[in-house]
Amino acid sequence: MEAVAGQVFATTQQPNPCTMRTQRAHEHKKMPWKNGKGVTLEIQTGGANETNAGNWAWRVSAAAVVENGPFSIFQGMDRFLTIYQGAEMRLKHSNQDVERVMKPFEVTRFSGDADTHATIPAGPVRDLGLIVVRDRVKGDLVVADRGSVLMEGFQLLVALEKAEVLVDGQQVQLDVLDSILDVGNEKVCIQSGTVALVYISDLRVE
């Protein structure tokens, strides 16, 4: 698989390098889906938003999709999604005529306002997603693999498979869904595996 160089947003609030930390998969918080049909692993949230029950302006989480069915509605939000395990997931949105076919490590972007129905013709999948409040935050989810050298500009990194990364020369071993949070200004080099990078920019800061 070819390395993907993601666009780097000019972050308006750069995390303090001293706060960077590794969070292992077993430390993620389990949260019920809004529609009650599953459980999500909440990896990180940020920004206060009083109109959202979770009181966040952005959220990164992972979930297993084990049956065909509807996605939760997130009014006023945009969603970014990639599959990290499983063969395929198909999404049908009420505001689009064309069905989206998702393959592993491809990123799909869509509105959380639309009714979205998922089908998994080849069986269960696991996905990683970013949700942002549209008028508060600009975000992106980018997949990168071995050989990618990443400069400052992203909020966190999530391993989509076993991975090894160098963070300012320090080697970090990551298992699936292990994450490096609040990355800050560190230079990151992916030595093996595939990871997802989350970019966040607060639209309220000029």
Side-chain angles (χ1 to χ4, degrees), residues 3 15 19 40 42 51 55 85 95 105 113 116 145 157 175 205:
T19 67
T40 189
E42 191 173 87
T51 63
N55 194 32
Q85 289 180 1
N95 60 348
F105 304 140
D113 301 297
T116 297
D145 61 8
L157 176 155
D175 208 338
V205 181

Side-chain angles (χ1 to χ4, degrees), residues 78-133:
D78 290 325
R79 303 189 64 172
F80 306 78
L81 202 65
T82 188
I83 295 172
Y84 65 91
Q85 289 180 1
E88 178 183 294
M89 181 163 63
R90 300 184 179 188
L91 301 182
K92 184 68 176 68
H93 309 292
S94 60
N95 60 348
Q96 296 181 10
D97 295 329
V98 179
E99 183 180 63
R100 296 173 184 249
V101 179
M102 294 182 61
K103 298 294 186 180
F105 304 140
E106 295 177 351
V107 178
T108 296
R109 300 163 177 84
F110 59 97
S111 171
D113 301 297
D115 289 322
T116 297
H117 189 276
T119 57
I120 45 174
V125 301
R126 294 181 181 273
D127 62 49
L128 178 80
L130 165 67
I131 304 176
V132 301
V133 177

Side-chain angles (χ1 to χ4, degrees), residues 43-57:
I43 297 172
Q44 190 175 27
T45 63
N49 178 41
E50 61 279 1
T51 63
N52 175 12
N55 194 32
W56 44 259

Side-chain angles (χ1 to χ4, degrees), residues 110-188:
F110 59 97
S111 171
D113 301 297
D115 289 322
T116 297
H117 189 276
T119 57
I120 45 174
V125 301
R126 294 181 181 273
D127 62 49
L128 178 80
L130 165 67
I131 304 176
V132 301
V133 177
R134 191 176 300 123
D135 62 355
R136 281 284 314 280
V137 171
K138 181 180 181 181
D140 202 5
L141 180 67
V142 175
V143 174
D145 61 8
R146 180 179 179 181
S148 298
V149 178
L150 316 165
M151 305 304 289
E152 64 185 70
F154 60 96
Q155 173 75 23
L156 68 148
L157 176 155
V158 183
L160 301 180
E161 57 185 4
K162 285 183 178 294
E164 184 177 287
V165 300
L166 281 178
V167 182
D168 271 357
Q170 180 180 353
Q171 191 173 70
V172 181
Q173 301 280 348
L174 300 173
D175 208 338
V176 178
L177 289 188
D178 286 351
S179 307
I180 301 177
L181 309 182
D182 303 322
V183 175
N185 298 319
E186 285 80 0
K187 178 180 177 181
V188 177

